[in-house]
C-alpha cells in the first residue's frame, strides 16, 4: 500500500513538472490591453523640388512677344488740290468730233489713287456753272486702280462733238472744261474754248476711265 502511494506521487510530480516545462517553452503572452496594430503609413509631404509646377527662377523675366510692325497706310484717293490737269489734242478727230487726252498729274508729295471716271463739263470760266450736259461715260475701257506717285500721270480719252452738228443746239461760248477727279467734289479747270449747247438733252462730251501712262 505504501509503495503504491509513492508511485502515484511520483507520477503526479512528473506530470506537473512536464506541464511546467511546456509552459516555459511556449510564446510569451502579450501584455493585457495592448494591441499590436500595423504601423500606419503616412504619405511624405512633397518637397518644393518635387512640385509639379516649377516656379521661374528669381529675377528672370518672361520673353516678351516679338513687336509687330504696323502695315503701311494705303494711299488715299487723288484729290483736285494735289492734281494738275491738261489736255492733248494730238489724237485728231473724225465726223465732227475731236479726240484728245485728258491728263491728270500728281502734283502732291504723296502717292494717291486714281480710279474710275472724271466728271467733265463745258463752262464759261474756272468757277462758272456747267453749260449743258456733262460728259457721258464711255465704258469700253475697263476701270483700273492706278497708284500715282508724285510727278506721275494718268489719262482718259475725252471726245468733244461740234455743237454745229445739232440743228436744235442753242450755242453758248465756253472757255474750257471743268473737271472733277473721281470721287471728288472739288474741280480743276482747263482753258480750251469751244461752243457749248445750253439746252439739255444734247450730249457733246464723252469720257473713258483713266489709264496709266
Amino acid at each position: 500500500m505504501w509503495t503504491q502511494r509513492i508511485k502515484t506521487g511520483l507520477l503526479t510530480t512528473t506530470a506537473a513538472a512536464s506541464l511546467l516545462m511546456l509552459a516555459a517553452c511556449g510564446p510569451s503572452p502579450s501584455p493585457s490591453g495592448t494591441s499590436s496594430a500595423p504601423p500606419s503609413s503616412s504619405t511624405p509631404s512633397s518637397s518644393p523640388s518635387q512640385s509639379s509646377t516649377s516656379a521661374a527662377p528669381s529675377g528672370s523675366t518672361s520673353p516678351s512677344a516679338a513687336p509687330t510692325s504696323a502695315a503701311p497706310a494705303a494711299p488715299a484717293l487723288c484729290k483736285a488740290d494735289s492734281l494738275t490737269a491738261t489736255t492733248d489734242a494730238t489724237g485728231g478727230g473724225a465726223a465732227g468730233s475731236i479726240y484728245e487726252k485728258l491728263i491728270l498729274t500728281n502734283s502732291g508729295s504723296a502717292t494717291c489713287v486714281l480710279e474710275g471716271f472724271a466728271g467733265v463739263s463745258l463752262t464759261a470760266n474756272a468757277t462758272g456753272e456747267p453749260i449743258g450736259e456733262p460728259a457721258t461715260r464711255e465704258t469700253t475701257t475697263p476701270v483700273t486702280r492706278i497708284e500715282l506717285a508724285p510727278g506721275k500721270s494718268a489719262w482718259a480719252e475725252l471726245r468733244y462733238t461740234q455743237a454745229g452738228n445739232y440743228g436744235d443746239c442753242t450755242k453758248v461760248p465756253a472757255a474750257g472744261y471743268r473737271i472733277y477727279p473721281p470721287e471728288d467734289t472739288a474741280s480743276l479747270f482747263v482753258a480750251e474754248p469751244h461752243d457749248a449747247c445750253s439746252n439739255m438733252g444734247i450730249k457733246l462730251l464723252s469720257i473713258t476711265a483713266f489709264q496709266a501712262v
Side-chain angles (χ1 to χ4, degrees):
M1 174 66 73
W2 179 249
T3 304
Q4 183 65 34
R5 289 179 178 176
I6 292 174
K7 288 182 178 179
T8 302
L10 290 172
L11 289 174
T12 302
T13 303
T14 303
S18 298
L19 289 173
L20 289 173
M21 292 178 64
L22 288 174
C25 295
S28 300
S30 301
S32 61
T34 303
S35 62
S36 59
S40 60
S41 60
S42 59
T43 303
S45 60
S46 59
S47 63
S49 60
Q50 294 174 337
S51 174
S52 59
T53 303
S54 58
S58 174
S60 64
T61 56
S62 301
S64 58
T68 56
S69 57
L77 293 175
C78 297
K79 298 296 184 179
D81 59 0
S82 62
L83 296 169
T84 57
T86 56
T87 55
D88 179 359
T90 58
S97 296
I98 298 172
Y99 292 87
E100 54 190 339
K101 289 181 178 180
L102 170 62
I103 302 168
L104 295 185
T105 302
N106 183 355
S107 57
S109 59
T111 297
C112 63
V113 172
L114 195 65
E115 183 176 12
F117 298 84
V120 184
S121 297
L122 289 164
T123 183
N125 52 57
T127 59
E129 292 297 319
I131 302 172
E133 295 278 359
T136 59
R137 294 181 175 182
E138 177 56 66
T139 58
T140 54
T141 301
V143 173
T144 58
R145 176 186 169 89
I146 305 166
E147 291 194 5
L148 281 186
K152 297 299 182 179
S153 303
W155 67 278
E157 186 176 74
L158 176 63
R159 184 185 71 178
Y160 165 75
T161 302
Q162 300 287 353
N165 291 353
Y166 299 90
D168 56 347
C169 170
T170 303
K171 291 184 182 180
V172 176
Y177 299 115
R178 191 169 183 181
I179 299 157
Y180 293 86
E183 307 297 330
D184 197 1
T185 56
S187 63
L188 303 163
F189 179 73
V190 175
E192 190 174 313
H194 289 292
D195 284 334
C197 296
S198 62
N199 46 325
M200 303 302 288
I202 299 176
K203 299 182 183 297
L204 302 180
L205 304 175
S206 68
I207 189 78
T208 66
F210 282 101
Q211 306 170 56
V213 173

